[in-house]
Amino acid sequence: MPVKVKIPTPLRKLTANKGEVEVDGKTIGEMIENLEKSYPGLKERLCDEAGAIRRFVNVYINEEDIRFMQGKDTSLKDGDEVSIIPAIAGGNIN
Amino acid sequence: MLTIPKKFVDDMIDHAKSESPLECCGILAGKEETVTHIYKMKNTENDPDKYFMEPKEQFVAIKDMRAKGIDMLAIYHSHPHSPARPSGVDIKLAFYPDAIYIIVSLMDAAKPVIKGFLIKEGKVEETAIKIN
Ligand SMILES: [Zn+2]
């Protein structure tokens, strides 16, 4: 079940400069594992040590934020488009 | 040099004032180096020292820019009570090396200060902004 994954510019170093890749996966979690197999190093950028998706990484299926679905367990259908987009965030604490 | 029409500067200051004491955030978009659109975004943080752009709105703005054929030129946020320079967290969370990070400081409420910065791999460099 291949899905298209849009890769943001800062992570394209890891995907041989490709802005879109195709990968299999029944869930977001599986998709990330498969991304890591093809593009080592990506998982670490997307997930923390405990395996959870990093707070400052937004992941969308089609247009929906997976935080409001089942997160990493959200299932994927053939032809879904997944977008990985770094959050826009900051703070005032030094 | 990034050129921002004055009306968008006024919009950013109004946005900062209306959200104060919380921070505001948004996107300036346009072509080449001239801003033609402002996206005033929702900050999901309830903490006066943080901002996090609402992800769904961010996605919609990205699609809208693509549809209009314009680019994200700058990301702005406010510092309601501190100077117009990026904090340590601002630097750490600057994931857009091609965008200019604009900070609107309301430290002196009568005289808001706006400054632009390029933040690349932890290095910060102030960049001049033209207001016209
Ligand atoms: Zn800040």
Side-chain angles (χ1 to χ4, degrees):
Chain A
M1 273 213 311
V3 293
K4 280 188 197 153
V5 187
K6 298 231 174 187
I7 307 292
T9 316
L11 297 184
R12 289 184 195 163
K13 287 187 281 260
L14 298 167
T15 59
N17 267 323
K18 280 185 274 191
E20 188 178 296
V21 301
E22 280 210 353
V23 67
D24 286 320
K26 287 196 285 292
T27 62
I28 288 287
E30 263 188 51
M31 179 206 81
I32 291 174
E33 295 303 326
N34 289 330
L35 273 176
E36 176 66 17
K37 282 182 203 145
S38 306
Y39 308 104
L42 257 186
K43 186 183 175 186
E44 197 216 317
R45 303 293 295 271
L46 304 178
C47 301
D48 62 21
E49 296 73 19
I53 293 178
R54 291 185 185 276
R55 183 156 184 257
F56 298 104
V57 174
N58 296 334
V59 179
Y60 310 83
I61 299 175
N62 304 319
E63 306 198 349
E64 296 306 316
D65 182 347
I66 63 162
R67 291 182 188 91
F68 298 103
M69 294 190 276
Q70 287 81 48
K72 269 182 98 172
D73 298 328
T74 310
S75 49
L76 290 167
K77 305 185 300 298
D78 212 358
D80 273 343
E81 190 173 280
V82 177
S83 303
I84 297 169
I85 300 183
I88 294 181
N92 211 355
I93 308 134
N94 285 296
Chain B
M1 194 190 313
L2 184 71
T3 302
I4 313 177
K6 186 166 180 306
K7 62 175 174 177
F8 296 133
V9 172
D10 293 342
D11 281 345
M12 286 192 289
I13 293 169
D14 286 347
H15 193 193
K17 285 181 175 167
S18 69
E19 295 299 319
S20 179
L22 299 180
E23 297 190 3
C24 75
C25 63
I27 291 171
L28 299 180
K31 261 282 146 206
E32 265 117 50
E33 291 189 278
T34 301
V35 173
T36 57
H37 287 77
I38 185 167
Y39 297 89
K40 293 185 182 181
M41 307 296 271
K42 186 174 175 206
N43 169 12
T44 63
E45 295 282 6
N46 256 322
D47 178 327
D49 290 321
K50 283 182 189 163
Y51 77 99
F52 192 114
M53 192 178 285
E54 207 282 309
K56 175 90 184 174
E57 280 191 11
Q58 183 187 343
F59 193 76
V60 170
I62 290 169
K63 276 189 59 180
D64 190 64
M65 287 184 267
R66 209 177 292 149
K68 289 188 164 82
I70 54 177
D71 303 313
M72 180 167 84
L73 300 177
I75 292 164
Y76 74 87
H77 76 282
S78 62
H79 282 178
H81 50 73
S82 60
R85 64 165 177 264
S87 68
V89 177
D90 287 339
I91 296 165
K92 198 170 141 242
L93 298 180
F95 301 118
Y96 291 87
D98 300 325
I100 291 175
Y101 282 84
I102 292 177
I103 299 177
V104 181
S105 168
L106 299 179
M107 204 164 70
D108 179 350
K111 270 183 92 183
V113 175
I114 291 186
K115 285 186 180 170
F117 302 88
L118 284 166
I119 307 176
K120 289 181 189 173
E121 287 166 16
K123 286 231 241 2
V124 181
E125 192 188 311
E126 189 174 345
T127 179
I129 291 171
K130 191 171 147 195
I131 296 168
N132 73 356

